[in-house]
Structure formats: structure tokens, C-alpha cells
């Protein structure tokens, strides 16, 4: 079985998602099951994972075209498989109705570096009603609290 693997974006910024699509060209047998493998700096992952779904395979329900959305996990602050910035290699493994496995790909894309961790520097001060900083106040003075960036 052959096919064409397409990666939507050759480069993504850190935290951006990417979409992979494969169009399979059957050669007598039909696409029965499939899985995706992504590997890069820091790790790799196969979807579905072994032991999940149909023993690590997705059952084909989409005919000859299938897709995968590679997403950043905001809760974990990482991509699947602990993949970091740099080159990511994607492959699609097809299992046809005749029991033959075929690998389509690999294709690469790049994840940009995470932005530097530069929290803003703040200064907090009391001001008078016109916004001028004051260093001293008495009980009856009206003051405002202002944040300076």
C-alpha cells in the first residue's frame, strides 16, 4: 500500500498546532487499521499508544483519507511524547485487509523555540488623584494605588 503524507505547516511556533493528512492508494487490499508516529527532540509518541484502541491501531472508518491533529497540551506545557522544539519526523503506518503493514512517510516539520521566560517587571506605588507618586500621606489624604511597568 502506498500513499501521500502531507504536513499542513512546515514550521510552527511554540504552542501552535499542526495537522497531518494521508491519502492512501490501495493496491488490491483496502486500508483496515493505521497509526501515527511522531519523533523529535526530547521524545516520540505513537498514536494510538500500544494497549489503547484496537491494540495500538486506529480502525479505519474514513476511507482512504485520514488526518491527525498534533496539539500542544497547555496543562502539561508540552507537546505529545515530550517532543521539544526542533525537527519532528512523522510517519503513517497502514495495515491493509490482506495483513500487510506499509509505512508512508517520513515527512518532517519544525517546532520553534519556546519564548524566553521574562516575566514583566512591576513597580507599585501610591499616587495622588492626578497620578503623581507620593512618598508620604496622612489619614485624610485620598490616594490611589498604581502599577508601573
Amino acid at each position: 500500500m502506498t500513499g501521500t503524507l502531507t504536513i499542513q505547516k512546515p514550521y510552527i511556533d511554540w504552542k501552535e498546532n499542526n495537522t497531518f493528512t494521508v491519502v492512501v492508494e490501495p493496491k488490491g487490499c483496502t486500508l483496515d487499521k493505521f497509526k501515527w508516529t511522531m519523533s523529535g527532540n526530547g521524545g516520540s509518541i505513537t498514536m494510538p499508544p500500544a494497549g489503547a484502541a484496537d491494540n495500538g491501531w486506529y480502525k479505519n472508518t474514513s476511507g482512504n483519507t485520514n488526518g491527525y491533529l498534533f496539539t500542544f497540551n497547555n496543562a502539561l506545557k508540552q507537546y505529545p511524547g515530550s517532543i521539544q522544539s526542533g525537527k519532528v519526523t512523522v510517519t503513517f503506518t497502514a495495515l491493509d485487509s490482506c495483513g500487510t503493514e506499509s509505512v508512508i512517510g517520513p515527512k518532517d516539520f519544525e517546532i520553534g523555540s519556546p519564548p524566553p521566560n521574562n516575566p514583566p517587571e512591576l513597580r507599585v506605588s501610591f499616587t495622588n488623584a492626578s497620578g503623581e507618586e507620593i512618598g508620604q500621606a496622612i489619614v485624610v489624604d485620598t490616594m490611589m494605588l498604581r502599577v508601573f511597568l
Side-chain angles (χ1 to χ4, degrees):
M1 184 165 286
T2 61
T4 304
L5 172 62
T6 305
I7 295 178
Q8 181 184 28
K9 302 172 192 169
Y11 176 88
I12 59 173
D13 290 323
W14 184 254
K15 291 189 176 182
E16 194 175 1
N17 300 335
N18 209 348
T19 302
F20 318 138
T21 307
V22 71
V23 178
V24 176
E25 299 164 12
K27 305 245 185 205
C29 302
T30 59
L31 177 63
D32 185 34
K33 300 176 185 177
F34 63 91
K35 57 186 164 185
W36 296 91
T37 303
M38 290 75 59
S39 59
N41 180 23
S44 67
I45 187 167
T46 298
M47 292 302 293
D54 190 2
N55 292 320
W57 293 91
Y58 289 117
K59 186 81 175 146
N60 182 38
T61 58
S62 303
N64 292 330
T65 303
N66 288 279
Y68 183 81
L69 181 60
F70 183 77
T71 59
F72 184 82
N73 185 322
N74 283 309
L76 298 175
K77 307 281 189 247
Q78 66 183 22
Y79 282 102
S82 300
I83 294 173
Q84 301 297 314
S85 62
K87 183 176 95 169
V88 178
T89 302
V90 180
T91 57
F92 179 87
T93 305
L95 180 63
D96 65 28
S97 57
C98 299
T100 303
E101 274 187 40
S102 303
V103 176
I104 300 173
K107 287 272 180 109
D108 299 329
F109 74 99
E110 187 173 346
I111 300 173
S113 297
N117 188 8
N118 292 333
E121 293 184 26
L122 306 175
R123 183 171 51 89
V124 178
S125 182
F126 287 104
T127 65
N128 60 22
S130 49
E132 299 167 351
E133 286 186 71
I134 57 173
Q136 187 175 11
I138 57 175
V139 175
V140 295
D141 287 345
T142 300
M143 298 180 295
M144 302 177 82
L145 188 61
R146 183 173 171 192
V147 176
F148 296 89
L149 297 176

PDB file of all heavy atoms in Angstrom, residues 33-58:
ATOM      1  N   LYS A  33      -6.475  -0.727   9.282  1.00  0.00           N
ATOM      2  CA  LYS A  33      -6.082  -0.046  10.521  1.00  0.00           C
ATOM      3  C   LYS A  33      -4.862   0.821  10.241  1.00  0.00           C
ATOM      4  O   LYS A  33      -4.157   0.616   9.260  1.00  0.00           O
ATOM      5  CB  LYS A  33      -5.738  -1.069  11.612  1.00  0.00           C
ATOM      6  CG  LYS A  33      -6.874  -1.988  11.980  1.00  0.00           C
ATOM      7  CD  LYS A  33      -6.421  -3.023  12.988  1.00  0.00           C
ATOM      8  CE  LYS A  33      -7.526  -4.018  13.268  1.00  0.00           C
ATOM      9  NZ  LYS A  33      -7.092  -5.057  14.189  1.00  0.00           N
ATOM     10  N   PHE A  34      -4.602   1.772  11.157  1.00  0.00           N
ATOM     11  CA  PHE A  34      -3.446   2.641  10.973  1.00  0.00           C
ATOM     12  C   PHE A  34      -3.000   3.238  12.294  1.00  0.00           C
ATOM     13  O   PHE A  34      -3.731   3.199  13.288  1.00  0.00           O
ATOM     14  CB  PHE A  34      -3.750   3.758   9.961  1.00  0.00           C
ATOM     15  CG  PHE A  34      -4.840   4.691  10.401  1.00  0.00           C
ATOM     16  CD1 PHE A  34      -4.552   5.846  11.120  1.00  0.00           C
ATOM     17  CD2 PHE A  34      -6.172   4.432  10.087  1.00  0.00           C
ATOM     18  CE1 PHE A  34      -5.555   6.711  11.521  1.00  0.00           C
ATOM     19  CE2 PHE A  34      -7.182   5.283  10.481  1.00  0.00           C
ATOM     20  CZ  PHE A  34      -6.873   6.426  11.204  1.00  0.00           C
ATOM     21  N   LYS A  35      -1.785   3.782  12.285  1.00  0.00           N
ATOM     22  CA  LYS A  35      -1.258   4.517  13.437  1.00  0.00           C
ATOM     23  C   LYS A  35      -0.285   5.586  12.956  1.00  0.00           C
ATOM     24  O   LYS A  35       0.243   5.511  11.845  1.00  0.00           O
ATOM     25  CB  LYS A  35      -0.606   3.596  14.456  1.00  0.00           C
ATOM     26  CG  LYS A  35       0.523   2.731  13.931  1.00  0.00           C
ATOM     27  CD  LYS A  35       0.970   1.757  15.014  1.00  0.00           C
ATOM     28  CE  LYS A  35       1.810   0.633  14.462  1.00  0.00           C
ATOM     29  NZ  LYS A  35       2.135  -0.363  15.474  1.00  0.00           N
ATOM     30  N   TRP A  36      -0.102   6.598  13.791  1.00  0.00           N
ATOM     31  CA  TRP A  36       0.803   7.715  13.511  1.00  0.00           C
ATOM     32  C   TRP A  36       1.979   7.643  14.470  1.00  0.00           C
ATOM     33  O   TRP A  36       1.799   7.336  15.653  1.00  0.00           O
ATOM     34  CB  TRP A  36       0.092   9.043  13.745  1.00  0.00           C
ATOM     35  CG  TRP A  36      -1.066   9.303  12.847  1.00  0.00           C
ATOM     36  CD1 TRP A  36      -2.375   8.989  13.076  1.00  0.00           C
ATOM     37  CD2 TRP A  36      -1.025   9.950  11.581  1.00  0.00           C
ATOM     38  NE1 TRP A  36      -3.150   9.395  12.023  1.00  0.00           N
ATOM     39  CE2 TRP A  36      -2.340   9.992  11.091  1.00  0.00           C
ATOM     40  CE3 TRP A  36      -0.003  10.491  10.803  1.00  0.00           C
ATOM     41  CZ2 TRP A  36      -2.674  10.555   9.874  1.00  0.00           C
ATOM     42  CZ3 TRP A  36      -0.331  11.053   9.594  1.00  0.00           C
ATOM     43  CH2 TRP A  36      -1.641  11.087   9.129  1.00  0.00           C
ATOM     44  N   THR A  37       3.177   7.973  13.990  1.00  0.00           N
ATOM     45  CA  THR A  37       4.355   8.070  14.855  1.00  0.00           C
ATOM     46  C   THR A  37       5.012   9.417  14.628  1.00  0.00           C
ATOM     47  O   THR A  37       5.261   9.808  13.489  1.00  0.00           O
ATOM     48  CB  THR A  37       5.357   6.931  14.573  1.00  0.00           C
ATOM     49  OG1 THR A  37       4.690   5.680  14.749  1.00  0.00           O
ATOM     50  CG2 THR A  37       6.551   7.003  15.511  1.00  0.00           C
ATOM     51  N   MET A  38       5.256  10.129  15.736  1.00  0.00           N
ATOM     52  CA  MET A  38       5.943  11.413  15.709  1.00  0.00           C
ATOM     53  C   MET A  38       7.170  11.301  16.609  1.00  0.00           C
ATOM     54  O   MET A  38       7.048  10.837  17.744  1.00  0.00           O
ATOM     55  CB  MET A  38       5.043  12.540  16.237  1.00  0.00           C
ATOM     56  CG  MET A  38       3.884  12.922  15.338  1.00  0.00           C
ATOM     57  SD  MET A  38       2.479  11.804  15.277  1.00  0.00           S
ATOM     58  CE  MET A  38       1.899  11.702  16.925  1.00  0.00           C
ATOM     59  N   SER A  39       8.323  11.679  16.094  1.00  0.00           N
ATOM     60  CA  SER A  39       9.533  11.651  16.920  1.00  0.00           C
ATOM     61  C   SER A  39      10.351  12.903  16.665  1.00  0.00           C
ATOM     62  O   SER A  39      10.384  13.419  15.555  1.00  0.00           O
ATOM     63  CB  SER A  39      10.355  10.394  16.640  1.00  0.00           C
ATOM     64  OG  SER A  39      10.729  10.345  15.288  1.00  0.00           O
ATOM     65  N   GLY A  40      10.975  13.362  17.724  1.00  0.00           N
ATOM     66  CA  GLY A  40      11.776  14.576  17.616  1.00  0.00           C
ATOM     67  C   GLY A  40      12.616  14.768  18.849  1.00  0.00           C
ATOM     68  O   GLY A  40      12.787  13.857  19.666  1.00  0.00           O
ATOM     69  N   ASN A  41      13.108  15.977  19.010  1.00  0.00           N
ATOM     70  CA  ASN A  41      13.949  16.347  20.133  1.00  0.00           C
ATOM     71  C   ASN A  41      13.184  16.113  21.437  1.00  0.00           C
ATOM     72  O   ASN A  41      12.144  16.695  21.652  1.00  0.00           O
ATOM     73  CB  ASN A  41      14.346  17.820  19.983  1.00  0.00           C
ATOM     74  CG  ASN A  41      15.213  18.306  21.110  1.00  0.00           C
ATOM     75  OD1 ASN A  41      15.876  17.528  21.784  1.00  0.00           O
ATOM     76  ND2 ASN A  41      15.209  19.612  21.327  1.00  0.00           N
ATOM     77  N   GLY A  42      13.679  15.246  22.289  1.00  0.00           N
ATOM     78  CA  GLY A  42      13.084  15.030  23.599  1.00  0.00           C
ATOM     79  C   GLY A  42      12.216  13.799  23.720  1.00  0.00           C
ATOM     80  O   GLY A  42      11.941  13.348  24.818  1.00  0.00           O
ATOM     81  N   GLY A  43      11.740  13.245  22.609  1.00  0.00           N
ATOM     82  CA  GLY A  43      10.900  12.068  22.748  1.00  0.00           C
ATOM     83  C   GLY A  43      10.185  11.683  21.478  1.00  0.00           C
ATOM     84  O   GLY A  43      10.422  12.245  20.405  1.00  0.00           O
ATOM     85  N   SER A  44       9.278  10.723  21.623  1.00  0.00           N
ATOM     86  CA  SER A  44       8.468  10.277  20.493  1.00  0.00           C
ATOM     87  C   SER A  44       7.169   9.706  21.034  1.00  0.00           C
ATOM     88  O   SER A  44       7.060   9.377  22.218  1.00  0.00           O
ATOM     89  CB  SER A  44       9.213   9.252  19.652  1.00  0.00           C
ATOM     90  OG  SER A  44       9.401   8.074  20.392  1.00  0.00           O
ATOM     91  N   ILE A  45       6.205   9.572  20.140  1.00  0.00           N
ATOM     92  CA  ILE A  45       4.914   9.020  20.526  1.00  0.00           C
ATOM     93  C   ILE A  45       4.293   8.342  19.319  1.00  0.00           C
ATOM     94  O   ILE A  45       4.457   8.798  18.191  1.00  0.00           O
ATOM     95  CB  ILE A  45       3.982  10.104  21.102  1.00  0.00           C
ATOM     96  CG1 ILE A  45       2.701   9.464  21.660  1.00  0.00           C
ATOM     97  CG2 ILE A  45       3.686  11.180  20.072  1.00  0.00           C
ATOM     98  CD1 ILE A  45       1.886  10.401  22.518  1.00  0.00           C
ATOM     99  N   THR A  46       3.620   7.230  19.585  1.00  0.00           N
ATOM    100  CA  THR A  46       2.821   6.559  18.568  1.00  0.00           C
ATOM    101  C   THR A  46       1.369   6.650  19.004  1.00  0.00           C
ATOM    102  O   THR A  46       1.043   6.366  20.163  1.00  0.00           O
ATOM    103  CB  THR A  46       3.238   5.086  18.414  1.00  0.00           C
ATOM    104  OG1 THR A  46       4.606   5.047  17.980  1.00  0.00           O
ATOM    105  CG2 THR A  46       2.377   4.370  17.396  1.00  0.00           C
ATOM    106  N   MET A  47       0.512   7.077  18.077  1.00  0.00           N
ATOM    107  CA  MET A  47      -0.910   7.213  18.377  1.00  0.00           C
ATOM    108  C   MET A  47      -1.704   6.286  17.484  1.00  0.00           C
ATOM    109  O   MET A  47      -1.513   6.332  16.275  1.00  0.00           O
ATOM    110  CB  MET A  47      -1.368   8.656  18.167  1.00  0.00           C
ATOM    111  CG  MET A  47      -0.777   9.617  19.165  1.00  0.00           C
ATOM    112  SD  MET A  47      -1.136   9.224  20.871  1.00  0.00           S
ATOM    113  CE  MET A  47      -2.899   9.484  20.950  1.00  0.00           C
ATOM    114  N   PRO A  48      -2.575   5.464  18.020  1.00  0.00           N
ATOM    115  CA  PRO A  48      -2.832   5.358  19.456  1.00  0.00           C
ATOM    116  C   PRO A  48      -1.702   4.592  20.136  1.00  0.00           C
ATOM    117  O   PRO A  48      -0.997   3.819  19.489  1.00  0.00           O
ATOM    118  CB  PRO A  48      -4.141   4.579  19.529  1.00  0.00           C
ATOM    119  CG  PRO A  48      -4.149   3.731  18.305  1.00  0.00           C
ATOM    120  CD  PRO A  48      -3.434   4.549  17.255  1.00  0.00           C
ATOM    121  N   PRO A  49      -1.540   4.807  21.436  1.00  0.00           N
ATOM    122  CA  PRO A  49      -0.487   4.089  22.151  1.00  0.00           C
ATOM    123  C   PRO A  49      -0.775   2.585  22.193  1.00  0.00           C
ATOM    124  O   PRO A  49      -1.932   2.170  22.121  1.00  0.00           O
ATOM    125  CB  PRO A  49      -0.515   4.684  23.560  1.00  0.00           C
ATOM    126  CG  PRO A  49      -1.610   5.665  23.601  1.00  0.00           C
ATOM    127  CD  PRO A  49      -2.262   5.740  22.273  1.00  0.00           C
ATOM    128  N   ALA A  50       0.267   1.807  22.307  1.00  0.00           N
ATOM    129  CA  ALA A  50       0.093   0.351  22.411  1.00  0.00           C
ATOM    130  C   ALA A  50      -0.806   0.046  23.602  1.00  0.00           C
ATOM    131  O   ALA A  50      -0.697   0.653  24.648  1.00  0.00           O
ATOM    132  CB  ALA A  50       1.452  -0.316  22.581  1.00  0.00           C
ATOM    133  N   GLY A  51      -1.720  -0.877  23.424  1.00  0.00           N
ATOM    134  CA  GLY A  51      -2.641  -1.234  24.500  1.00  0.00           C
ATOM    135  C   GLY A  51      -3.929  -0.426  24.471  1.00  0.00           C
ATOM    136  O   GLY A  51      -4.905  -0.784  25.092  1.00  0.00           O
ATOM    137  N   ALA A  52      -3.931   0.700  23.731  1.00  0.00           N
ATOM    138  CA  ALA A  52      -5.140   1.508  23.610  1.00  0.00           C
ATOM    139  C   ALA A  52      -5.850   1.155  22.312  1.00  0.00           C
ATOM    140  O   ALA A  52      -5.302   0.455  21.459  1.00  0.00           O
ATOM    141  CB  ALA A  52      -4.774   2.991  23.616  1.00  0.00           C
ATOM    142  N   ALA A  53      -7.036   1.653  22.166  1.00  0.00           N
ATOM    143  CA  ALA A  53      -7.838   1.446  20.948  1.00  0.00           C
ATOM    144  C   ALA A  53      -7.836  -0.035  20.583  1.00  0.00           C
ATOM    145  O   ALA A  53      -8.086  -0.884  21.420  1.00  0.00           O
ATOM    146  CB  ALA A  53      -7.343   2.332  19.812  1.00  0.00           C
ATOM    147  N   ASP A  54      -7.521  -0.353  19.357  1.00  0.00           N
ATOM    148  CA  ASP A  54      -7.530  -1.731  18.876  1.00  0.00           C
ATOM    149  C   ASP A  54      -6.100  -2.273  18.915  1.00  0.00           C
ATOM    150  O   ASP A  54      -5.444  -2.442  17.890  1.00  0.00           O
ATOM    151  CB  ASP A  54      -8.105  -1.772  17.452  1.00  0.00           C
ATOM    152  CG  ASP A  54      -8.383  -3.178  16.956  1.00  0.00           C
ATOM    153  OD1 ASP A  54      -8.177  -4.132  17.728  1.00  0.00           O
ATOM    154  OD2 ASP A  54      -8.797  -3.308  15.798  1.00  0.00           O
ATOM    155  N   ASN A  55      -5.587  -2.514  20.139  1.00  0.00           N
ATOM    156  CA  ASN A  55      -4.207  -2.976  20.349  1.00  0.00           C
ATOM    157  C   ASN A  55      -3.178  -2.066  19.687  1.00  0.00           C
ATOM    158  O   ASN A  55      -2.237  -2.524  19.049  1.00  0.00           O
ATOM    159  CB  ASN A  55      -4.036  -4.423  19.880  1.00  0.00           C
ATOM    160  CG  ASN A  55      -4.809  -5.382  20.758  1.00  0.00           C
ATOM    161  OD1 ASN A  55      -4.829  -5.217  21.978  1.00  0.00           O
ATOM    162  ND2 ASN A  55      -5.462  -6.352  20.157  1.00  0.00           N
ATOM    163  N   GLY A  56      -3.369  -0.758  19.828  1.00  0.00           N
ATOM    164  CA  GLY A  56      -2.414   0.205  19.288  1.00  0.00           C
ATOM    165  C   GLY A  56      -2.672   0.593  17.845  1.00  0.00           C
ATOM    166  O   GLY A  56      -1.787   1.137  17.192  1.00  0.00           O
ATOM    167  N   TRP A  57      -3.864   0.334  17.347  1.00  0.00           N
ATOM    168  CA  TRP A  57      -4.227   0.701  15.972  1.00  0.00           C
ATOM    169  C   TRP A  57      -5.561   1.438  15.984  1.00  0.00           C
ATOM    170  O   TRP A  57      -6.451   1.094  16.749  1.00  0.00           O
ATOM    171  CB  TRP A  57      -4.393  -0.537  15.088  1.00  0.00           C
ATOM    172  CG  TRP A  57      -3.126  -1.298  14.851  1.00  0.00           C
ATOM    173  CD1 TRP A  57      -2.636  -2.327  15.596  1.00  0.00           C
ATOM    174  CD2 TRP A  57      -2.199  -1.089  13.783  1.00  0.00           C
ATOM    175  NE1 TRP A  57      -1.465  -2.776  15.055  1.00  0.00           N
ATOM    176  CE2 TRP A  57      -1.170  -2.038  13.935  1.00  0.00           C
ATOM    177  CE3 TRP A  57      -2.149  -0.207  12.711  1.00  0.00           C
ATOM    178  CZ2 TRP A  57      -0.092  -2.125  13.072  1.00  0.00           C
ATOM    179  CZ3 TRP A  57      -1.075  -0.302  11.834  1.00  0.00           C
ATOM    180  CH2 TRP A  57      -0.059  -1.245  12.019  1.00  0.00           C
ATOM    181  N   TYR A  58      -5.690   2.444  15.108  1.00  0.00           N
ATOM    182  CA  TYR A  58      -6.997   3.040  14.854  1.00  0.00           C
ATOM    183  C   TYR A  58      -7.691   2.190  13.798  1.00  0.00           C
ATOM    184  O   TYR A  58      -7.069   1.786  12.820  1.00  0.00           O
ATOM    185  CB  TYR A  58      -6.874   4.461  14.297  1.00  0.00           C
ATOM    186  CG  TYR A  58      -6.391   5.501  15.278  1.00  0.00           C
ATOM    187  CD1 TYR A  58      -5.194   6.172  15.055  1.00  0.00           C
ATOM    188  CD2 TYR A  58      -7.145   5.839  16.393  1.00  0.00           C
ATOM    189  CE1 TYR A  58      -4.750   7.151  15.935  1.00  0.00           C
ATOM    190  CE2 TYR A  58      -6.707   6.814  17.279  1.00  0.00           C
ATOM    191  CZ  TYR A  58      -5.508   7.465  17.047  1.00  0.00           C
ATOM    192  OH  TYR A  58      -5.070   8.433  17.915  1.00  0.00           O
TER     193      TYR A  58
END
